[in-house]
Amino acid sequence: MNTLLLLFSLSLSIFPFTLCVPNPSRLLLASSSSSSPVLDINGDKVKAGPNYFILPVIQGKGGGLYPSNVKQNNSTCPRDIIQETDDVQEGLPVVFTRLDAKKGVVRVSTDVNVRFFTPTICARETIWKLGAYDDKLKQYFVVTGGVEGNPGPKTVGNWFKIVKFGSGYKFVFCPSVCKFCKVICKDVGVFMKDGVRFLALSDTPFKVKFKKTF
């Protein structure tokens, strides 16, 4: 009992968006269509390891994604995740890491890490995570600075799911890496501020497709 209370306290202090109680909705999402592979624009299976551009399915609503410092300009490495305003700009490619850390097919509704591929000093600083709640904007943003691998309570904010969404896919924040944590389960969408498209939790999903770079 004391151990559970300690884990509860640690969870609230480290990840304010988690509560250490069972979450049936998270388990339901994790089991839904989990055997189906994620497919790229050529119909090939998306795999952990190669690089992929994340592109919008709907034309005329911006391009790919890239890390930048817009809101968080006090960091050496870029922390905000921005969508290109120009449709022809593909942004930076990402690499997926599976829960088991093995190379292989990425499957729908399973936990993955997402990392921008960039050959710079910030190469290991570009892993997606759910940022702290922005009280001013009343919004959770998806940012970089997460940790790759090591699934569990301390890394719960770094895992996302790719879920089938009509003719494309959407990212969902609803990690299953902590069996006793209750987490926010919400789609990842785009939040507009001053003409900048930030990646954030949203009621309107960002409908995407995947294009392999090479």
Side-chain angles (χ1 to χ4, degrees):
M1 182 66 180
N2 291 336
T3 302
L4 181 59
L5 289 174
L6 176 59
L7 287 171
F8 179 85
S9 301
L10 287 172
S11 176
L12 289 179
S13 62
I14 298 173
F15 299 107
F17 46 85
T18 64
L19 291 174
C20 295
V21 294
N23 183 8
S25 63
R26 173 174 56 81
L27 297 176
L28 179 62
L29 178 61
S31 63
S32 174
S33 302
S34 60
S35 61
S36 302
V38 177
L39 303 179
D40 66 16
I41 59 174
N42 295 318
D44 296 323
K45 296 175 181 178
V46 171
K47 296 182 179 180
N51 299 342
Y52 295 89
F53 289 112
I54 299 173
L55 303 173
V57 170
I58 301 173
Q59 298 298 312
K61 291 195 173 182
L65 303 174
Y66 67 98
S68 181
N69 273 332
V70 179
K71 292 188 296 83
Q72 307 185 49
N73 54 16
N74 60 344
S75 173
T76 301
C77 294
R79 292 294 179 228
D80 301 308
I81 300 178
I82 308 298
Q83 184 192 8
E84 298 273 11
T85 56
D86 190 337
D87 288 17
V88 301
Q89 298 297 323
E90 297 180 319
L92 283 181
V94 302
V95 178
F96 299 112
T97 300
R98 301 193 330 174
L99 188 66
D100 59 9
K102 294 180 180 179
K103 303 295 183 184
V105 175
V106 174
R107 299 192 176 275
V108 170
S109 299
T110 59
D111 291 288
V112 293
N113 291 137
V114 188
R115 171 174 56 85
F116 283 110
F117 178 79
T118 173
T120 68
I121 59 171
C122 295
R124 306 308 299 184
E125 293 285 331
T126 60
I127 299 154
W128 292 16
K129 70 174 184 178
L130 186 63
Y133 185 70
D134 190 316
D135 286 314
K136 183 178 179 180
L137 297 175
K138 307 300 181 185
Q139 181 68 54
Y140 279 108
F141 289 93
V142 180
V143 298
T144 65
V147 177
E148 198 167 33
N150 193 29
K154 292 184 179 180
T155 64
V156 70
N158 306 324
W159 298 91
F160 296 82
K161 291 181 169 71
I162 301 171
V163 177
K164 185 64 179 172
F165 183 48
S167 59
Y169 296 91
K170 64 180 179 178
F171 282 95
V172 175
F173 179 79
C174 194
S176 308
V177 297
C178 176
K179 293 182 179 179
F180 54 81
C181 296
K182 182 176 181 180
V183 299
I184 294 171
C185 283
K186 200 163 186 178
D187 293 329
V188 175
V190 174
F191 180 87
M192 290 283 292
K193 182 180 183 297
D194 299 328
V196 181
R197 300 168 182 258
F198 294 91
L199 207 62
L201 298 192
S202 174
D203 293 328
T204 305
F206 180 38
K207 190 175 184 179
V208 301
K209 58 188 177 182
F210 304 100
K211 177 183 177 182
K212 192 175 182 181
T213 58
F214 53 82

